[in-house]
Amino acid sequence: MKLHPTALVVAATVMAGLTGCGVIDGTAAPTASSIPAGMGSPEEAAPVSSAKKKTPKYKSSPKHKSTPTHAPKPHGPRIVSFKVVQKPKCAEGTAVFRAEAVPLIIKWKITGADSAALSVDDPTGTPGTYGPAELHGTQEFTFSCSGAVGSTETHTYAIYTVGGGAQKHKTLKVSAKVLDKGIKP
């Protein structure tokens, strides 16, 4: 006997409906898998998975993480940063269309020292020729532009650590072009 494919689908659906009944709170209720496709709301027709998540048979213990060994930080003074935060510009123009000079601003940060000292254009390398300074801060300098028109003025700024161990220092060379002499009164 040869069966039609549609008859097989109907028979399978009927069998699933008959065998797919479950008991909920003492009453017979069909399971989601026994509802034929296309009937009921999408939520009702969604198959319910009874498959359990597979868990590993043996749980591995967490791996021991070793902390990396770093060389100890050196004690004593350290210049963390010493940089230009505003570049200088020499004044230019006539009395009618004049561009004022822009001052130089430097910024620094020092750790491990008692204080700091600034020097400006000191060829001897003597700490503090400009004066004492805090461990971190900024300083504004009027930039001298006394050279010939078209020349470049360069000034050297140095910061020194004071106390706390061996003295450290850093220097900055800052330049600006002399644009004109301006008008003399």
Side-chain angles (χ1 to χ4, degrees), residues 39-74:
M39 300 188 74
S41 68
E43 294 84 24
E44 293 173 350
V48 176
S49 174
S50 62
K52 293 182 180 179
K53 285 187 176 180
K54 292 184 179 181
T55 56
K57 199 171 199 180
Y58 302 103
K59 292 185 179 180
S60 62
S61 62
K63 294 181 180 179
H64 175 60
K65 293 183 180 179
S66 63
T67 54
T69 55
H70 296 289
K73 290 185 178 180

Side-chain angles (χ1 to χ4, degrees), residues 13 47 49 98 122 132:
T13 304
S49 174
R98 182 136 180 90
D122 182 15

Side-chain angles (χ1 to χ4, degrees), residues 8 30 32 35 62 64 68 84 94 118 130 138 155 164 174-175 179 182 184:
L8 287 175
I35 298 173
H64 175 60
V84 173
T94 63
L118 285 168
Y130 183 80
T138 59
H155 300 287
V174 183
S175 299
L179 302 168
K184 294 182 182 180

